[in-house]
């Protein structure tokens, strides 16, 4: 979401086309903070914050960086889904994930 938001701001797209991304990023940040809090790793939040802000500014240092990042988003998203599926296959435990959820996720990545 960070790459999509920065890309659309960088190229001057109208606000209506990317208004959902700040909301999605805020949801992910809150979820991530909950995960850090309940796992007892809240001290790592500063490191992740610095990485997030650094990545935000690094994306537009050169035009080719933001373009490359945008092109790699689909590949990275698909690779993360593959890694999740591989982990599920090895552990033979799907937890709370249903077949419908995984199908919709795979469809959106494709």
């Amino acid at each position: 979401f960070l790459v999509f938001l920065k890309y659309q701001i960088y190229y001057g797209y109208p606000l209506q086309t990317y208004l959902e991304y700040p909301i999605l990023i805020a949801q992910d940040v809150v979820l991530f903070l909950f995960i850090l809090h309940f796992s007892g790793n809240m001290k790592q939040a500063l490191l992740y914050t610095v990485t997030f802000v650094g990545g935000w500014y690094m994306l537009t240092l050169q035009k080719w960086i933001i373009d490359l990042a945008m092109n790699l988003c689909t590949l990275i998203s698909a690779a993360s889904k593959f890694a999740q599926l591989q982990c599920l296959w090895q552990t033979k435990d799907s937890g709370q994930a249903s077949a419908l959820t995984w199908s919709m996720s795979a469809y959106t990545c494709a």
Side-chain angles (χ1 to χ4, degrees), residues 14-92:
L15 181 63
Q16 296 84 0
T17 61
Y18 61 87
L19 193 56
E20 69 186 286
Y21 292 117
I23 297 166
L24 293 172
I25 290 170
Q27 286 176 348
D28 285 349
V29 167
V30 170
L31 178 64
F32 191 62
L33 288 175
F34 278 139
I35 291 169
L36 288 176
H37 174 71
F38 288 113
S39 66
N41 295 324
M42 206 52 189
K43 294 177 183 175
Q44 293 178 350
L46 179 62
L47 174 66
Y48 290 117
T49 302
V50 169
T51 304
F52 177 82
V53 172
W56 175 261
Y57 287 108
M58 197 173 87
L59 282 172
T60 54
L61 287 177
Q62 298 276 332
K63 182 183 179 300
W64 67 269
I65 295 174
I66 189 74
D67 292 337
L68 178 65
M70 189 66 176
N71 288 327
L72 291 177
C73 279
T74 304
L75 176 67
I76 291 169
S77 181
S80 72
K81 296 301 180 222
F82 178 74
Q84 290 171 355
L85 287 171
Q86 184 180 17
C87 180
L88 286 174
W89 184 267
Q90 289 173 349
T91 62
K92 304 286 193 247

